[in-house]
Structure formats: structure tokens, C-alpha cells
Amino acid sequence: MTIFALNIMPYITASIIMQLMTAIVPSLETMKKDGEAGRKQINQYTRYLTVLLATFQGFGIAVALESAGNIVADPGMFFRLTTVVTLVGGTLFLMWLGEQITERGIGNGVSLMIFAGIVAGLPAAVISTLQQVSSGDISVFTIFVIIALVLGVTFFVVFMEIYILYTEDQRRKALERRQASMRKKGTYGTGACADEPWSLQAYQKRVYAVRHQLREEHPMVRGARPGERAHLTGNMCCCVCAACTCVR
């Protein structure tokens, strides 16, 4: 047993509990919507819960080692205390390391650490499986089925990742083409007021044209003066003023 016996699992468990609590407790849900400050506060609560869970698990391991036989040379409260402190310290170090990896933009620190643990144990698992095949405990057909499942899952994950990236890239290119076309024609995105410079004459023509169209097509807008907001039903809503010409 090492100081990293608990691994990063207490932190993962605490994160899952906090995510569930944010959907149940109104104060945590409000804190989650507060932006960066709320996220930092929730992360702090997650760390506190990690310490609590790691303490319980470390104490359970210490008691289990004492009751396992002659493993512990000097059982007692001091052994339990040192075991808990050591295991909790190892978990907190892994938690800190994962957060540092995430903050520096390398990737999700916790996920990378879990992946590293799996890769590190993969050679031993392969050797153990081959030994079981050679001894006849596992049939060759079972090995082929396992290999096929691994390749199938890997292909599916890679395919979905490529498909998502391709779809996002196509949407981004379509949006860029649309924005470039609107800039070229002198029009703007739906529902957004333009910040781009127009000539004064063209701007005034656009304002009067939209105002005239609204007053003709929507009786509720008739009689509205500049500076008054006209609340329309349907899919069109506009400020009838000289500062906004957005039409939805």
C-alpha cells in the first residue's frame, strides 16, 4: 500500500455529489449561476468534501489493516491517525496536481490522471490475460470477442469525435460566410443592432424604411413616436427609434 492508495476517487465522488446538490439546493444553484466567483466557491466546497470523504475512507482502511491479522506491528490510535493523515495527504496532492494540469491548459487534469493510471496498469493486465489463455482458464474465442469489443468502442468514440468536430467546423464556416455576405451587402445579423459604420444618408434611409414598414404592417406600431418601444406580437419586435434598426 502506498500513500496514493485512495487515488483521486474521493475527489471524483465529491465532484459528483456537488453536481447533484447544485440541482437540488437552491442556494448552490444560485451560486452556480453567479459566474466565476460562484464556480470558485463550489470548487472550494468540493475540496472540503474531498477531505471529509478521504478521512472516512482512510480510517476504514486503517481499521481493516488492524483486523487483518499480524500486518500492523503496533496497532492503536497512533497507527490510525498516521494512516489517515498519509492517505488524505496523498489524495490532496493528486487533487492539487489535477487542478494544476487543468489550469495550465494541458487538459482535464483528473481525466488525464485516470487515463495514466489505466495505461500504467495495461501491460500487467495483458500479461495476466495471456497467462490465463496459456493455462486454459480463458478460451481463445473469448480473447477475440474482447479484442473486437475494444476495437468497436474505440472506433465509435473516434468516429463521434471526428463527426462533432466536423459539424462544428461546418457551422463556423457557414456563420463566417453569412457574416461576410451581410457585411458586403450592408446588412446585419438578425436581432442585433449594428456597430459597424454606415454613411449617415444610408443609415437614415434604413431607419425610415424599417419604421414605415412596421407602421404599415403592424397596427400596434402606428402612432409610436421615436424613442418609444413598440411591443409587438409574433416574430417581430423593434425599438422605433433612430438608434436601433434591428428586426427579428
Side-chain angles (χ1 to χ4, degrees):
M1 180 180 295
T2 64
I3 60 175
F4 302 121
L6 295 180
N7 209 328
I8 198 67
M9 295 309 298
Y11 180 72
I12 297 175
T13 306
S15 301
I16 295 174
I17 292 175
M18 290 303 301
Q19 289 180 3
L20 295 176
M21 293 297 291
T22 52
I24 298 175
V25 181
S27 59
L28 293 177
E29 185 177 2
T30 304
M31 190 181 301
K32 183 180 180 180
K33 297 178 181 178
D34 288 341
E36 185 67 19
R39 187 183 65 84
K40 289 183 178 180
Q41 191 66 31
I42 292 177
N43 289 341
Q44 192 66 23
Y45 292 156
T46 304
R47 297 186 187 101
Y48 294 151
L49 186 58
T50 300
V51 174
L52 183 62
L53 293 176
T55 301
F56 279 115
Q57 294 183 17
F59 184 79
I61 290 176
V63 173
L65 289 176
E66 288 182 344
S67 60
N70 297 325
I71 298 178
V72 181
D74 188 15
M77 187 55 63
F78 180 76
F79 169 76
R80 297 179 183 180
L81 180 61
T82 54
T83 302
V84 169
V85 171
T86 303
L87 295 180
V88 171
T91 299
L92 294 182
F93 174 77
L94 293 177
M95 180 184 68
W96 173 82
L97 185 61
E99 291 179 352
Q100 295 301 311
I101 294 174
T102 304
E103 290 179 359
R104 280 159 175 74
I106 301 175
N108 190 304
V110 176
S111 300
L112 288 177
M113 293 174 66
I114 294 175
F115 175 75
I118 294 174
V119 172
L122 189 61
V126 172
I127 294 174
S128 176
T129 303
L130 293 178
Q131 290 176 352
Q132 291 179 354
V133 171
S134 62
S135 62
D137 296 335
I138 299 178
S139 63
V140 179
F141 176 76
T142 305
I143 296 299
F144 280 113
V145 171
I146 294 175
I147 295 175
L149 288 175
V150 171
L151 293 178
V153 172
T154 304
F155 174 79
F156 176 76
V157 171
V158 173
F159 173 78
M160 292 302 298
E161 186 68 21
I162 294 176
Y163 176 77
I164 292 173
L165 293 176
Y166 174 77
T167 304
E168 291 179 352
D169 183 66
Q170 291 297 112
R171 290 179 179 177
R172 180 181 57 81
K173 290 181 179 178
L175 181 60
E176 290 177 354
R177 288 194 298 266
R178 183 180 179 186
Q179 291 176 348
S181 176
M182 288 181 175
R183 292 191 187 98
K184 184 177 180 180
K185 295 179 181 179
T187 57
Y188 296 92
T190 302
C193 296
D195 292 329
E196 299 182 15
W198 277 12
S199 65
L200 180 61
Q201 184 179 4
Y203 186 77
Q204 290 177 344
K205 287 182 180 180
R206 177 65 176 170
V207 170
Y208 292 134
V210 173
R211 186 183 303 169
H212 178 74
Q213 179 184 1
L214 290 174
R215 288 179 177 176
E216 290 296 329
E217 296 180 0
H218 298 273
M220 295 181 63
V221 187
R222 295 174 184 174
R225 296 187 300 273
E228 295 179 346
R229 180 175 293 275
H231 299 281
L232 306 178
T233 57
N235 295 326
M236 184 174 290
C237 179
C238 182
C239 293
V240 186
C241 62
C244 181
T245 58
C246 58
V247 180
R248 291 185 177 90

